[in-house]
Amino acid sequence: MGSKKIVVIGGSAAGAKAAAKARRLDEFAEITLIQKAPDLSMASCGYPYYVGGVFNDRNQLLCTPAGIVRDPAFFDKAKAIKALVETEVVAIDRQEKQVVCRELKTGNELILSYDKLIISTGAKANRPPIPGIDLDGITNLLTMADTDYLRRICDQKKIHQAVVIGGGLIGVETCEALQLSGIKVTVVEALDQVLTFLDGELAHLVENHMQAKGAQVFTSNGVKEFLGRDGKLAGVRLADDTVIDCELAVMAIGVRPNSGLAIAAGLEIGKFGGIAVDQYMQTSDPDIYAAGDCVEISSRISGEPTFAPMGDLANLEGRVAGENAILGNSVSFPGTYHTGICKIFNFAAGSTGISEKAAKRMGLTEFETAVNASPDKPGFMGANLLVSKMLVSTKDQRLLGYQCVGPGDVSKQIATAAMAILGKLTVEDLVNADLPYAPPFSLAIDHFITSAHIIQNKLKGRMTGISTTAVWEKMQRGEQPFFLDGRSPAEFEEMHLGIGEHLIPLGALRSRLGELPDDKNAEIICFCKISLRGYEAETILRAHGYTNVKVMEGGIMAWPYPRKK
Amino acid sequence: MGSKKIVVIGGSAAGAKAAAKARRLDEFAEITLIQKAPDLSMASCGYPYYVGGVFNDRNQLLCTPAGIVRDPAFFDKAKAIKALVETEVVAIDRQEKQVVCRELKTGNELILSYDKLIISTGAKANRPPIPGIDLDGITNLLTMADTDYLRRICDQKKIHQAVVIGGGLIGVETCEALQLSGIKVTVVEALDQVLTFLDGELAHLVENHMQAKGAQVFTSNGVKEFLGRDGKLAGVRLADDTVIDCELAVMAIGVRPNSGLAIAAGLEIGKFGGIAVDQYMQTSDPDIYAAGDCVEISSRISGEPTFAPMGDLANLEGRVAGENAILGNSVSFPGTYHTGICKIFNFAAGSTGISEKAAKRMGLTEFETAVNASPDKPGFMGANLLVSKMLVSTKDQRLLGYQCVGPGDVSKQIATAAMAILGKLTVEDLVNADLPYAPPFSLAIDHFITSAHIIQNKLKGRMTGISTTAVWEKMQRGEQPFFLDGRSPAEFEEMHLGIGEHLIPLGALRSRLGELPDDKNAEIICFCKISLRGYEAETILRAHGYTNVKVMEGGIMAWPYPRKK
């Protein structure tokens, strides 16, 4: 028997990783990597940072940690992998176990036979048929070609206004990149918030930060029409007929699996249009594996297939596909908890597991949430205030989801939560977790543990929370609870909501109970800057017989609505 | 029945937290906090940063996140807690349920009765009877008074040379603080490495960094004698008779529980001299709880009592003690995984669970380790190279320990590992963990997951590792394995070990097998900068019939010994 023939279609994250893993497991396999684009193994999540000028050497998107560009010569020498670039696979012949390719430059056809085939054809950008979408100046930020185009625009400094359509991960990263290049950016999002992996109140804090950094954000709005002049983009008309002048538009309204080849080959396809694979990353054809943005993987939350086009998952999936293609089905990919993170100017925003919105969408009812606004480290070490939201099951107190936004070390918080979810940890486990503490890195009680303390207080009935959103909605309905701000006059002077709140500093509360409503059943909502004093105020009032006291979770720092000062 | 009387002895981390928690659970309890020192609720882990001038406002060590100094007036008003400072408890009368106190300023005696007592008397610095130890200029860095003393010295800029005795957490933090103030520092450590929570090879990397920053580090050496002039410290004589001139010496050779009061009261004491408590933080007297550095808690690794004087644990223990003192034994403190972290100049070093050294000390044999040197994020985002060591059980593949050092985001790595250990996760869980990825925060495959990949390769027999220490020891024994450096000539030119290694770039290896030893059973040790190419070289050589090939784990970046260039 000769050496095993492995063909990999697609040479970005999943494909390159699968080919490399296959090589490590079989020095003598014939491995061919077929790539339509000219580049290989691109760090595509880095595109926005190259566009924004965070670095200027394009090769850094393509090279190993040792600085070697991963071109066909590199694959040939270091990996003994034959990499064919600018070569498109036009068909998979499953009967004959062959792929039919075309060299893009010459038009030559090439037929490669395989023992095992790995499909990693990635994703395609969604591009809806909006009038004017073919005007010059409308692009995506998905491919290296898009990246080169946008970087050129940023370097030329001729364009002054851009619209980014879509406020998801790529949308906000693109917004930052263009804004850093001196272009005035407007983000238009059809839903009522950016970053749908966050719950609304946290997303609104991100929007406020984007606007503070000079970007405009329109939510609950879409693009009705692209307006042109001489074939070039000159503006967009939004659903509400607002017209925004712009010379550049970036479509960032999501991607879909690039599964056309697989469909044509008759492979099973999932309901999101991605290639269906089992835990071995094996398709409905046992000789074909698939990995990366072209597949559907398992959601570890719902157990259902999901579409999760993330660079980290693509690498891990590719590793599994590469191993199984060589050794037979021996390793599994367990799926995703939908962990995600992004940077937006000085903020970071991340999430793992389920949000409250997702929980409601899934029909869950037995859960509790808690918002925590508190610093990531001591003030004397340059604290950053983080706002996070924890979601736990009230059935078994297991952590189900965690989101965190703010200028601090959000990735540590999210990684901590991701491992806690993976470990099926409960609130009881988290409240006394042994996390690394020293002042340069965290508070004595880590922000994450404080989140667990808050939710435990709620679960034990010691704290009744109300979200800033629920307070805002009450106000919109004309309700007038008694708002108690427990801070000092100096703090109040510096910043306050102006929602009719009564300022009674916590230290004076016990002696000023007479200023509270006479009706001990009246609704009282306590808060402070972060609602720690708000919580202490609640415990005092409860002890003095007030029956309807709530804490506005996260306090003023989690209030995303307009405030008086 | 009147209100419950709670007396708390000690007003630093554990005591202040216990008192505050007790108050939240019982608005009407009479709570008294007795503190020998003038300050309360000091952020003692922040002392080195105040000494080093990271911040200059001493009150920042004492204030709430909102900037209010936690003095007796604060405790009175905000917490309704009576805080007696500069008041020493001289005896506990368990029979009468009273504590006898003395006001330090007046000498007045005060007797307070309690329903529940909480002891949180903290730790005392070890101060061995070295000749000359009472000379002027020898201090600790444990109390606020020590801090004020050292800060004054740094501000005065009269002292130019200091010796820090002890290379543990406090020792290295003190070293940094003094060095930042322009004082030339020598650290003297009796053991053969600093930071004993790390294994030697990682600790040596930290020592190298300290020396690169201008500090001198002597290991396997102790202080034989302090040398004085006119009653003032003028130098130290080390065990090997080296004399180091210095005008300041800081003793940082550990602390011991300050349990004298408890001993005198006849409470049960553990083998480390700490107050024995159960999981409720209850002492052998059911009316007395204890928390913080004066107690022994449970090691979650060995199940045995341990002494773990850490600020984060003290806070969590205090919270439990405060709750149980009010509500009866209702919440538990589970103990510690010995998680720790510290900053040393531009490096951070952290650990959780057990090190290889600890495993051996415990008599464990069924474990595997792996060293991983790799970046924390992509090169184009300003990568920092981290070196970590993972330890897993070979019985059930559970993660047992993790250490990480380097200039990057070590606290994220350690927190991730701490939660993985708490969740009893296995290598299989970790290799496909869903951690947050975006280029500003991590590599597509996070450093921590890469560690799991490496150890999985070892466990599956795909990689045979050898530590840099074992290689060094081989060389000291005069053994001459074939060393294969798989990097490029340019990289070699820039930096190399000079241990007789043969440079064969990975890309040329397959065509240059003839340069390897003829004996296919000869020992070949492969490496590169981080030993990824070293690992690939190993897989190639194995496939070509070489039977005794190893990878030097972590490569050149994990090599703490002298190198030629």
Side-chain angles (χ1 to χ4, degrees), chain A residues 24 27 79 312 323 327 331-332 336-337 339 380 411-412 432 434-435 439 444 460 462 510 536 543, chain B residues 24 27 45 55 79 312 323 327 331-332 336-339 411-412 432 434-435 444 462 510 536 543:
Chain A
R24 286 180 201 158
E27 171 66 10
K79 310 272 182 191
D312 56 335
E323 177 152 353
L327 299 182
V331 291
S332 299
T336 178
Y337 282 108
T339 307
F380 57 78
S411 85
K412 182 178 79 171
N432 287 312
D434 193 359
L435 292 175
K460 287 189 174 179
R462 292 176 186 167
R510 291 178 178 91
E536 293 187 316
Chain B
R24 285 180 201 157
E27 171 67 9
C45 300
F55 61 98
K79 309 274 181 190
D312 54 336
E323 177 151 353
L327 298 182
V331 291
S332 300
T336 177
Y337 283 108
H338 296 280
T339 307
S411 84
K412 184 178 78 172
N432 288 312
D434 193 358
L435 292 175
R462 291 173 187 168
R510 291 177 179 90
E536 294 188 316

Side-chain angles (χ1 to χ4, degrees), chain B residues 39-109:
Chain B
D39 296 303
L40 283 161
S41 214
M42 307 85 77
S44 55
C45 300
Y47 292 166
Y49 304 96
Y50 174 63
V51 169
V54 172
F55 61 98
N56 298 314
D57 178 5
R58 182 183 187 276
N59 276 344
Q60 286 206 273
L61 290 167
L62 305 168
C63 67
T64 70
I68 303 157
V69 172
R70 296 190 187 95
D71 57 15
F74 166 80
F75 274 95
D76 176 38
K77 288 172 70 180
K79 309 274 181 190
I81 291 168
K82 187 170 182 182
L84 308 174
V85 297
E86 298 182 87
T87 302
E88 184 177 11
V89 175
V90 291
I92 299 167
D93 181 343
R94 290 167 53 199
Q95 211 67 36
E96 298 296 322
K97 296 179 75 173
Q98 291 178 337
V99 296
V100 183
C101 316
R102 192 176 51 222
E103 291 179 6
L104 295 182
K105 283 190 166 163
T106 62
N108 289 347
E109 198 180 88

Side-chain angles (χ1 to χ4, degrees), chain A residues 239-270:
Chain A
D240 68 355
D241 280 324
T242 305
V243 170
I244 303 167
D245 291 338
C246 64
E247 307 131 279
L248 173 68
V250 183
M251 300 294 295
I253 50 169
V255 297
R256 59 186 193 279
N258 184 16
S259 50
L261 265 180
I263 293 169
L267 293 177
E268 198 180 305
I269 299 296

Side-chain angles (χ1 to χ4, degrees), chain A residues 365-558:
Chain A
T365 52
E366 295 174 293
F367 65 86
E368 182 59 275
T369 65
V371 170
N372 167 21
S374 65
D376 61 349
K377 51 189 164 189
F380 57 78
M381 297 305 286
N384 294 299
L385 197 119
L386 306 182
V387 179
S388 60
K389 184 168 175 179
M390 184 176 267
L391 189 147
V392 301
S393 164
T394 46
K395 275 189 299 184
D396 53 13
Q397 302 225 343
R398 267 176 55 189
L399 179 66
L400 298 180
Y402 189 76
Q403 309 158 50
C404 189
V405 307
D409 188 355
V410 161
S411 85
K412 182 178 79 171
Q413 302 298 330
I414 300 298
T416 305
M419 296 313 274
I421 292 174
L422 183 57
K424 305 190 191 311
L425 297 183
T426 65
V427 173
E428 185 63 27
D429 295 317
L430 303 183
V431 290
N432 287 312
D434 193 359
L435 292 175
Y437 162 59
F441 308 104
S442 93
L443 289 182
I445 298 185
D446 190 89
H447 179 91
F448 183 72
I449 298 180
T450 297
S451 295
H453 288 176
I454 294 172
I455 212 162
Q456 189 182 49
N457 286 335
K458 290 185 72 175
L459 290 168
K460 287 189 174 179
R462 292 176 186 167
M463 170 176 155
T464 303
I466 181 167
S467 70
T468 51
T469 305
V471 169
W472 178 252
E473 286 166 1
K474 262 183 196 295
M475 289 170 54
Q476 302 312 303
R477 288 194 302 267
E479 294 180 36
Q480 295 192 315
F482 185 93
F483 289 116
L484 192 163
D485 183 340
R487 299 174 304 147
S488 69
E491 288 174 272
F492 186 85
E493 190 48 47
E494 203 179 306
M495 167 176 77
H496 57 262
L497 297 184
I499 56 173
E501 66 269 40
H502 300 256
L503 182 73
I504 306 180
L506 181 69
L509 182 57
R510 291 178 178 91
S511 60
R512 288 172 61 182
L513 294 175
E515 297 175 31
L516 296 173
D518 291 334
D519 177 4
K520 290 219 166 179
N521 300 319
E523 184 175 34
I524 301 176
I525 296 178
C526 307
F527 63 89
C528 62
K529 185 175 176 191
I530 61 175
S531 277
L532 175 57
R533 283 170 287 175
Y535 166 52
E536 293 187 316
E538 185 202 16
T539 64
I540 293 169
L541 296 187
R542 278 199 194 198
H544 286 90
Y546 295 87
T547 64
N548 189 8
V549 191
K550 300 187 178 79
V551 179
M552 189 174 79
E553 296 185 34
I556 298 173
M557 298 319 293

Side-chain angles (χ1 to χ4, degrees), chain A residues 73-74 76-80, chain B residues 486-487 504-512 533 540:
Chain A
F74 165 80
D76 177 37
K77 289 172 71 181
K79 310 272 182 191
Chain B
R487 297 174 306 146
I504 306 180
L506 181 70
L509 182 59
R510 291 177 179 90
S511 61
R512 288 172 61 181
R533 283 169 288 175
I540 293 169

